[in-house]
Amino acid sequence: MRQRGRHRRRRRGRALRAVLAGAGLALTATATLISASQATVTDDPGALQPLTSAGELGGLKLTEQPVPARSLDRLAASMGRPVDAGTVLSDTDRNLRDAADCTGEEKKALPVEPAATRAYCWDTEDAATHAWRPESVAASGDAGGDGRWGTHRLILSGWTHRGDDTGRGRLARVAFVDADDPARLTYTWALLTVPVADGRDYRALASRVSGMVRYQDKLLVTTSDGERDALYVYDLRRIQRATVAADAVGRVPGGWSAHGYRWVLPAVASYRPAEGSCDRTADAGGTGRAASGSGTTSAAGRTSGPAGAAPPCPTGLSLDASSVPDSLVASETAAADGDRHTRLWRYPFSTDPARAGLLAADSSGTVTAGEAYETEANGVRGVLSHRTGPSGHTDWYLGRTAGKRGGHGTLWRQDVNGAEATECGASGDTHRCWGDGTGSLSYVPQTGELWSVSGRTLFAVPLSSLEHELH
């Protein structure tokens, strides 16, 4: 505590010297980071705890499962030659509204601190439906960090259809956003699907897409509920056209349907836990599809491997282009009323040009985590890892949900030394300053912007407004 007090005094001294020097800086919405000791004690996640044992890292292994090329070729032969993301972006049919055109209710979802420097609201028809919810965003695509696809500036946003009360009828769709003109963003929809019947048909991805990452020409998304895989992979050069505008999904009389959308993304691969399963229904009614017959049900409702450890089933994803090699960062949140901690970890991307956009795997298709931590933070939905400079310090940013109280969530920055959060207002809960906390985090190195979604808004803030040296 004496050390933290000294650091606070140094910060106050720097601020006072800036005023006395005539800096003349007006108060703005730029974030002010405070020590975790000044925030609500019960929400203090403390320092990250490294997971270094062979057992802990081994429990995070994935197995890569490519969709057979013959299945994809058969689907393409029936549906027509695939197109790429550039074709989709050239034919958008909806407009995002600028912040000035958002309703007051929509703007309530935006962060309090730091204030969004860019904010947009979805087309009024999409904003009005409560069956669909935006949950994730991918604004960058590689180490270059400009997020472009050819001549277009591409932003992707994942939405989930809630289905009925049991989750049946759940769907996942992606907004392809043409962000060439910051004053006029346009978009269109594509449905996420999974090839079945050896490529003779496809089904809807019945899952939440709480996390997504675009890397090179691939899109990786999280799974949940009845999906036993941890991640699905989509190829942005293999997008199919739907030919029938019906609510059905798959082959229908007269052609192919995608729940009324014009575009279809069939999965090209998936990643499954090497031990256990991500199927939350695996223990229901004896119909589970556990990968291991000796598995047990974990606290998260997923079937674990023989050792009883929870399998790696991410709820949050982001791209870390500051690591070497570039890596996929993942988080799996823990329930507020449980006794498990949230895990954070990373997988390196392959550097093999023949495996562009896929994770680094050995000859057996096994993917191994290169780094992992535990945090006491619960309700984590957004995760970002960022290192300053080639040999600089790595910070982990965690977006946490607002919880049952609703309203604004929190954004914490952690490392192995401690945690800090943004501060706003003057109440006893001054660190509830972020959006609702349910949106993923995506950093664009070229512009220095951190993108996320909150409520029915898509927004960006400068990462520099969050950066502050931890002590």
Side-chain angles (χ1 to χ4, degrees), residues 108-112 133-135 379 381 399-403 406-410 432-440 452-457 459:
K108 284 182 181 179
L110 291 170
V112 178
R133 179 181 178 86
E135 294 193 277
R381 286 293 181 268
R400 301 171 67 182
T401 62
H408 289 86
T410 60
R432 290 193 171 272
C433 310
W434 194 233
D436 58 19
T438 59
S440 63
S452 188
V453 291
S454 179
R456 300 285 159 154
T457 65
F459 69 90

Side-chain angles (χ1 to χ4, degrees), residues 297-371:
T297 301
S298 72
R302 288 147 176 190
T303 302
S304 59
C313 303
T315 52
L317 296 177
S318 67
L319 169 63
D320 187 354
S322 68
S323 63
V324 181
D326 297 343
S327 57
L328 178 74
V329 172
S331 66
E332 183 183 32
T333 192
D337 56 355
D339 56 1
R340 294 175 56 242
H341 288 168
T342 295
R343 292 184 297 181
L344 314 172
W345 68 99
R346 74 171 75 237
Y347 300 113
F349 277 104
S350 176
T351 58
D352 183 352
R355 290 178 46 81
L358 298 175
L359 301 178
D362 63 18
S363 58
S364 67
T366 300
V367 178
T368 303
E371 181 182 28

Side-chain angles (χ1 to χ4, degrees), residues 62-68 72 75 149 156 172 174 176 191-195 203 205 207-209 211-223 227-239 264-272 314 317 328 347-350 354-361 365 367:
L62 297 174
T63 301
E64 185 176 290
Q65 301 179 118
V67 173
L72 296 171
L75 196 59
W149 184 278
L156 300 166
V174 174
F176 280 68
L191 190 72
L192 296 181
T193 65
V194 180
R203 65 171 177 83
L205 176 65
S207 175
R208 292 183 59 189
V209 284
M212 66 188 306
V213 160
R214 174 196 156 198
Y215 187 64
Q216 297 178 0
D217 61 357
K218 301 297 191 302
L219 177 67
L220 293 85
V221 305
T222 58
T223 69
E227 302 287 347
R228 68 184 298 182
D229 298 279
L231 302 169
Y232 271 97
V233 184
Y234 294 88
D235 190 334
L236 298 178
R237 299 183 185 275
R238 190 179 278 270
I239 303 171
V264 181
L265 276 163
V268 299
S270 65
Y271 291 97
R272 182 170 297 175
L317 296 177
L328 178 74
Y347 300 113
F349 277 104
S350 176
R355 290 178 46 81
L358 298 175
L359 301 178
V367 178

Side-chain angles (χ1 to χ4, degrees), residues 93-176:
D93 54 3
R94 286 170 165 80
N95 295 312
L96 276 156
R97 290 169 288 139
D98 189 80
D101 297 320
C102 297
T103 67
E105 192 63 30
E106 286 172 324
K107 286 189 280 192
K108 284 182 181 179
L110 291 170
V112 178
E113 297 281 3
T117 51
R118 288 208 272 168
Y120 306 91
C121 294
W122 302 94
D123 179 89
T124 52
E125 181 180 348
D126 292 327
T129 177
H130 294 289
W132 288 93
R133 179 181 178 86
E135 294 193 277
S136 52
V137 63
S140 185
D142 51 42
D146 63 0
R148 290 193 175 274
W149 184 278
T151 61
H152 292 286
R153 173 78 169 86
L154 171 62
I155 298 176
L156 300 166
S157 179
W159 289 49
T160 301
H161 188 283
R162 66 186 182 186
D164 60 21
D165 291 340
T166 66
R168 287 193 298 267
R170 180 164 282 174
L171 303 167
R173 69 184 183 184
V174 174
F176 280 68

